[in-house]
């Protein structure tokens, strides 16, 4: 009976670890996705800033780069779509993007941060990706 209880506990722990790995993989993929969107739309710069706990509003128009929208409108759509994907993929997700200028260069550094609740853990898990564009 003790052995069966131990096997059951190991099975539960492996399921929890597997779920945590899937969440971390999703966070990495989401951060990389936004990083690529930022690189593709370098002209938007500060328009990609998103404070922690802030919800990106749905953009007024469904702009894409080929529609002739300005870079800020494309950035608003990118942020909205990205944040919605994070909310769908991760439990209690909170996403933010900090933008800082790079000294002496016409570029910015973007810190893309995603935090989410990890079931069974007291503290939230997080992932941060830094991109220069």
């Amino acid at each position: 009976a003790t052995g069966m209880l131990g096997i059951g506990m190991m099975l539960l722990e492996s399921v929890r670890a597997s779920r945590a790995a899937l969440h971390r993989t999703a966070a990495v993929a989401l951060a990389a996705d936004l990083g690529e969107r930022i690189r593709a739309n370098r002209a938007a710069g500060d328009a990609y800033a998103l404070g922690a706990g802030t919800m990106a509003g749905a953009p007024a128009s469904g702009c894409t780069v080929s529609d002739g929208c300005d870079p800020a409108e494309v950035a608003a759509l990118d942020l909205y779509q990205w944040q919605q994907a994070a909310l769908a993929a991760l439990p209690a997700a909170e996403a933010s993007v900090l933008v800082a200028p790079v000294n002496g260069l016409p570029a910015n550094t973007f810190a893309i941060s995603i935090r989410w609740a990890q079931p069974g853990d007291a503290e939230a898990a997080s992932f941060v990706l830094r991109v220069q564009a």
Side-chain angles (χ1 to χ4, degrees):
T2 304
M4 293 301 284
L5 183 60
I7 290 172
M9 293 301 290
M10 283 179 30
L11 179 62
L12 287 175
E13 183 59 29
S14 69
V15 168
R16 188 178 81 70
S18 177
R19 184 181 315 131
L22 288 172
H23 287 158
R24 181 156 302 276
T25 301
V28 170
L30 285 162
D33 174 54
L34 185 61
E36 291 304 315
R37 290 176 188 230
I38 290 170
R39 285 188 182 116
N41 187 18
R42 294 173 193 259
D46 288 340
Y48 280 101
L50 180 68
T54 304
M55 290 299 296
S61 64
C63 291
T64 62
V65 175
S66 61
D67 283 341
C69 299
D70 69 23
E73 291 172 326
V74 174
L77 179 63
D78 285 346
L79 280 174
Y80 176 74
Q81 291 174 339
W82 176 73
Q83 192 175 50
Q84 294 303 307
L87 290 170
L90 299 169
E94 181 181 295
S96 65
V97 181
L98 301 176
V99 183
V102 176
N103 291 336
L105 294 175
N108 292 314
T109 298
F110 301 84
I112 303 164
S113 175
I114 304 173
R115 294 176 49 91
W116 67 94
Q118 198 70 293
D121 289 347
E123 292 191 23
S126 65
F127 179 77
V128 177
L129 175 67
R130 296 191 193 295
V131 175
Q132 186 172 332

